[in-house]
């Protein structure tokens, strides 16, 4: 008898790789439960069921992810979460597919030995260890490398270590803004007429709140008048539909090219604008007057005011002079507005001006923008400026933006006709500062008590925690499941193709077909299928005995 073949005679026929390892005994008639039991033992039915359970569990996870992706965090009891449900199905999927992969690795060891040349006996232990965990799988990888189907199974066992970490990264819970039923509003205006704090008409002067708005616009060095519009946002994050409002628009042009210099043999001593302001000497001076110098503003009806400023800052340098001409007029603006983290953001999307609405007509200024030019808020198609209020505004603005000032060369101080003129001299961006002034005046018009329109209601947004699925992270567990199915299918095909008995991880196969177990002659016989091995083993009692000091045997009693 050979060292490893306890059932073959030395003089018998030679067994090679093309001969089936052991032919199964003829089947005996069995009941349906018995047939199912035989399929579980003698075929891959149990592994196929495990793989099917893994696919069902993975499908359940996918369904849950699809249902809850981008949805609000469900209001469930604290003991029940989406993560706990996914973890439950993940455990089922992982245990099921790991069981199938482990059985496939165990079956692969019989494929390993069913080859044209003998294999080391030690490989049996490597295969058994690989079917039990990642350390054994790693050892088997280094042993067989990529020469066998088991390489895939061992790789799967090792990669399965990252199954849970990747699955835990699939779901995150960020926050987002969603509409709420809380209030929000922003002011807009259809009419403007000056009134006192008590609500009494002021036919010949600008009301105090408008004067304050004008000064704020000129003195606001940060140019943040756009955040001064009166609004209410209870949540700190709000949006409004685009809306139209009566406003003040501005336009400035650089008219430095119109500056004229008066010089003699001693040099230039005067710079001036045609029919406009003039400066005598150079450096530290400003002169602002109500003029119409540039044709660049001819298409802009200055229904509020039009003025020009001549400024020279550098001492004794006639080339340093700069001149601006600006006009302010009533207009209709369309706004998009929102509040983010308590900060108001406004943007003018469209603007329209009625150039026929002139102060010289002596009546109210009427603005009726065509819908083809500007988006009109419903019930706000006509806008009006009271004629007396318009005249009062023009008078006040003409006085405010007329004046001069200078900084003494000796450094003994400065003298300006008004703080507004001083602010215009110090500004670094003249056009932007006047635009800031127009916006500040617009804010005041919109928040007047008799503006002719109620504040526009908007949508208050509140923070909501929601479910976000990161599908890229799920691709790893899903790929492992698919790879495991491929490996199981490959093992089944290879076992069938090479006519190998399905013993998987059974130790009985080694005992019955090796020489580790000494049995009585009456118990020896054709026991090949795993079910036959199990049936025969039920009636055999064995013990581990020591034959001599260095030899141990499993012996039947």
């Amino acid at each position: 008898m050979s060292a490893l073949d306890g059932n073959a005679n030395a003089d018998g026929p030679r067994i090679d790789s093309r001969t089936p390892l052991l032919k199964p005994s003829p089947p005996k008639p069995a009941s349906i439960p018995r047939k199912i039991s035989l399929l579980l033992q003698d075929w891959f039915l149990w592994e196929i069921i495990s793989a099917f359970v893994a696919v069902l569990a993975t499908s359940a996870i996918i369904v849950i992810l699809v249902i809850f992706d981008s949805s609000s965090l469900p209001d469930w009891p604290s003991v029940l979460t989406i993560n706990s449900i996914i973890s439950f199905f993940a455990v089922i999927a992982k245990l099921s597919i790991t069981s199938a992969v482990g059985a496939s690795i165990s079956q692969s060891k019989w494929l390993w030995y069913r080859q044209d040349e003998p294999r080391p006996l030690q490989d049996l232990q490597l295969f058994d260890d690989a079917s039990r965990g990642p350390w054994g799988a790693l050892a088997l990888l280094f042993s067989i490398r990529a020469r066998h189907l088991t390489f895939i199974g061992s790789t799967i066992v090792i990669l399965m270590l990252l199954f849970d970490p990747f699955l835990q990264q699939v779901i995150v819970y960020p926050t987002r803004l969603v509409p709420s039923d809380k209030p929000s509003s922003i002011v807009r205006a259809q009419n403007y007429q000056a009134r006192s704090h008590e609500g009494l008409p002021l036919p010949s002067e600008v009301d105090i709140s408008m004067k304050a708005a004008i000064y704020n616009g000129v003195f606001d060095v940060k140019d943040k008048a756009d955040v001064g519009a009166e609004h209410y946002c209870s949540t700190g994050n709000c949006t409004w539909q685009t809306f139209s409002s009566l406003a003040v628009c501005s336009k400035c042009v650089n008219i430095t090219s119109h500056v004229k210099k008066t010089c003699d043999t001693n040099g230039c001593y005067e710079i001036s604008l045609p029919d406009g302001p003039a400066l005598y000497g150079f450096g530290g001076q400003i002169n602002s007057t109500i003029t119409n110098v540039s044709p660049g503003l001819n298409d802009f009806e200055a229904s509020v005011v039009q003025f020009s400023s001549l400024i020279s800052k550098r001492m004794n340098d006639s080339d340093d002079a700069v001149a601006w001409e600006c006009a302010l007029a009533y207009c209709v603006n369309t706004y998009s507005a929102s509040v983010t983290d308590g900060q108001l953001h406004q943007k003018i999307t469209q603007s329209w001006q009625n150039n026929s609405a002139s102060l010289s007509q002596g009546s109210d200024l009427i603005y009726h923008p065509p819908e083809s030019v500007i988006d009109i808020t419903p019930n706000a198609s006509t806008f009006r400026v009271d004629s007396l209020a318009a005249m009062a505004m023009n008078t006040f603005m003409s006085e405010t933006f007329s004046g001069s000032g200078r900084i003494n060369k000796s450094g003994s101080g400065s003298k300006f006709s008004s703080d507004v003129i001083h602010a215009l001299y110090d500004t670094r961006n003249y056009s932007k500062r006047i635009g800031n002034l127009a916006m500040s005046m617009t804010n005041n018009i919109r928040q007047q008590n008799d503006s002719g329109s109620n504040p526009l209601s908007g949508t208050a947004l509140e923070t909501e925690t929601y479910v976000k699925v990161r599908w890229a992270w799920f691709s790893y567990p899903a790929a492992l499941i698919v790879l495991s199915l491929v490996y199981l299918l490959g093992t089944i095909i290879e076992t069938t193709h090479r006519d190998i008995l399905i013993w998987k991880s059974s130790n009985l196969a080694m005992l019955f077909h090796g020489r580790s177990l000494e049995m009585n002659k009456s118990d020896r016989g054709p026991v090949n299928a795993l079910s036959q091995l199990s049936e025969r083993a039920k009636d055999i009692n064995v013990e581990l005995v020591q034959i001599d000091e260095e030899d141990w045997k499993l012996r039947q009693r």
Side-chain angles (χ1 to χ4, degrees):
M1 186 177 293
S2 67
L4 294 177
D5 189 357
N7 295 318
N9 292 324
D11 297 333
R14 182 175 181 274
I15 299 176
D16 59 25
S17 61
R18 294 167 295 180
T19 305
L21 189 61
L22 285 170
K23 290 297 183 179
S25 301
K28 299 179 180 180
S31 62
I32 293 179
R34 175 62 179 165
K35 290 180 179 179
I36 296 177
S37 177
L38 291 176
L39 284 175
L40 290 175
Q41 294 184 72
D42 297 340
W43 199 58
F44 290 94
L45 180 60
W46 180 253
E47 287 69 33
I48 292 175
I49 292 175
S50 297
F52 182 70
V53 171
V55 171
L56 287 181
T58 305
S59 300
I61 293 175
I62 294 175
V63 170
I64 293 172
L65 294 178
V66 170
I67 291 176
F68 288 100
D69 188 17
S70 299
S71 66
S72 303
L73 191 65
D75 186 16
W76 290 347
S78 58
V79 295
L80 184 63
T81 64
I82 297 177
N83 280 41
S84 64
I85 296 177
I86 290 180
S87 296
F88 171 76
F89 286 108
V91 169
I92 295 177
K94 183 178 179 181
L95 291 179
S96 300
I97 204 65
T98 302
S99 172
V101 171
S104 299
I105 292 176
S106 296
Q107 179 63 21
S108 295
K109 70 172 173 280
W110 307 116
L111 297 173
W112 178 250
Y113 285 101
R114 185 63 165 164
Q115 300 191 58
D116 292 334
E117 59 183 22
R119 299 292 182 182
L121 183 61
Q122 182 190 15
D123 291 351
L124 280 173
Q125 187 62 46
L126 289 176
F127 276 88
D128 283 342
D129 291 343
S131 67
R132 295 187 179 99
W135 287 113
L138 186 62
L140 185 61
L141 278 181
F142 282 107
S143 176
I144 66 172
R145 301 183 183 177
R147 295 177 296 164
H148 195 261
L149 183 65
T150 313
F151 182 87
I152 299 177
S154 300
T155 303
I156 292 173
V157 173
I158 295 172
L159 295 179
M160 199 63 70
L161 291 172
L162 297 177
F163 186 91
D164 292 329
F166 268 80
L167 201 58
Q168 291 171 1
Q169 298 297 322
V170 172
I171 293 183
V172 292
Y173 300 96
T175 58
R176 63 185 176 187
L177 296 175
V178 295
S180 70
D181 56 358
K182 297 180 180 179
S184 64
S185 62
I186 191 168
V187 293
R188 58 191 177 95
Q190 285 182 248
N191 305 322
Y192 173 65
Q193 54 184 355
R195 289 186 177 272
S196 67
H197 180 70
E198 296 78 14
L200 300 176
L202 299 173
S204 59
E205 62 180 274
V206 177
D207 63 282
I208 295 298
S209 65
M210 178 56 80
K211 290 181 179 179
I214 294 171
Y215 294 138
N216 287 338
V218 175
F219 299 145
D220 183 10
V221 294
K222 294 183 179 180
D223 297 327
K224 292 293 184 180
D226 59 325
V227 302
E230 188 174 299
H231 64 281
Y232 176 72
C233 181
S234 56
T235 62
N237 294 281
C238 297
T239 60
W240 290 268
Q241 65 178 3
T242 56
F243 62 94
S244 301
S245 176
L246 185 65
V248 174
C249 297
S250 66
K251 183 178 181 181
C252 289
V253 293
N254 189 314
I255 57 173
T256 304
S257 59
H258 293 266
V259 173
K260 294 182 178 181
K261 301 179 183 179
T262 303
C263 308
D264 56 19
T265 56
N266 296 322
C268 299
Y269 57 89
E270 179 186 2
I271 54 177
S272 61
L273 289 171
D275 299 323
L279 298 178
Y280 299 94
F282 311 107
Q285 296 184 67
I286 181 175
N287 195 348
S288 181
T289 60
I290 305 303
T291 57
N292 185 0
V293 176
S294 171
L297 294 177
N298 289 345
D299 61 341
F300 195 87
E301 177 58 39
S303 51
V304 176
V305 71
Q306 181 170 332
F307 63 94
S308 58
S309 296
L310 181 60
I311 305 171
S312 175
K313 291 188 176 182
R314 202 157 50 223
M315 299 296 182
N316 300 319
D317 186 354
S318 61
D319 295 328
D320 180 53
V322 61
W324 287 92
E325 186 169 34
C326 297
L328 289 92
Y330 299 105
C331 61
V332 177
N333 287 339
T334 297
Y335 297 90
S336 63
S338 63
V339 173
T340 304
D341 295 330
Q343 186 72 30
L344 175 66
H345 302 277
Q346 284 191 122
K347 181 181 179 181
I348 300 174
T349 59
Q350 291 174 304
S351 186
W352 182 84
Q353 181 186 359
N354 183 7
N355 288 328
S356 62
S358 173
L359 291 174
S360 60
Q361 68 188 33
S363 60
D364 293 349
L365 306 182
I366 304 299
Y367 299 85
H368 186 71
E371 294 185 8
S372 60
V373 176
I374 191 170
D375 293 331
I376 302 298
T377 303
N379 302 322
S381 58
T382 301
F383 302 84
R384 182 181 65 86
V385 178
D386 181 79
S387 61
L388 295 179
M391 293 297 296
M393 178 69 74
N394 178 259
T395 301
F396 176 78
M397 294 293 283
S398 299
E399 295 174 352
T400 301
F401 288 90
S402 296
S404 61
R406 67 181 304 122
I407 297 176
N408 295 328
K409 297 180 180 181
S410 62
S412 59
S414 60
K415 184 177 182 181
F416 293 91
S417 59
S418 69
D419 291 336
V420 171
I421 299 300
H422 193 178
L424 294 180
Y425 173 81
D426 282 340
T427 187
R428 296 183 178 180
N429 191 328
Y430 200 94
S431 178
K432 187 174 182 179
R433 181 60 58 86
I434 300 304
N436 198 63
L437 165 65
M439 192 172 297
S440 182
M441 296 175 66
T442 298
N443 293 340
N444 181 267
I445 291 175
R446 287 167 55 182
Q447 65 191 33
Q448 292 280 340
N449 292 331
D450 54 354
S451 62
S453 61
N454 296 323
L456 180 68
S457 297
T459 302
L461 306 174
E462 58 185 2
T463 302
E464 175 193 69
T465 302
Y466 71 101
V467 180
K468 181 179 181 181
V469 176
R470 300 188 290 185
W471 292 102
W473 288 95
F474 185 73
S475 61
Y476 182 89
L480 275 183
I481 297 295
V482 173
L483 186 61
S484 301
L485 296 176
V486 172
Y487 176 55
L488 173 61
L489 180 61
T491 303
I492 294 174
I493 294 175
E494 187 71 8
T495 299
T496 304
H497 175 71
R498 299 177 66 176
D499 200 15
I500 300 294
L501 291 170
I502 302 172
W503 285 345
K504 303 174 190 174
S505 60
S506 174
N507 292 323
L508 295 177
M510 290 297 299
L511 293 174
F512 277 97
H513 297 281
R515 53 186 294 252
S516 298
L517 176 62
E518 293 184 352
M519 294 189 300
N520 298 330
K521 293 183 179 180
S522 60
D523 289 321
R524 297 175 184 174
V527 282
N528 298 325
L530 189 56
S531 59
Q532 295 174 339
L533 297 174
S534 298
E535 286 296 324
R536 181 65 63 84
K538 290 179 181 179
D539 300 324
I540 299 176
N541 296 320
V542 299
E543 63 179 349
L544 181 63
V545 296
Q546 186 174 10
I547 305 303
D548 52 43
E549 292 183 357
E550 298 181 356
D551 193 12
W552 293 79
K553 292 285 185 179
L554 278 174
R555 186 171 62 188
Q556 182 180 3
R557 293 188 62 184

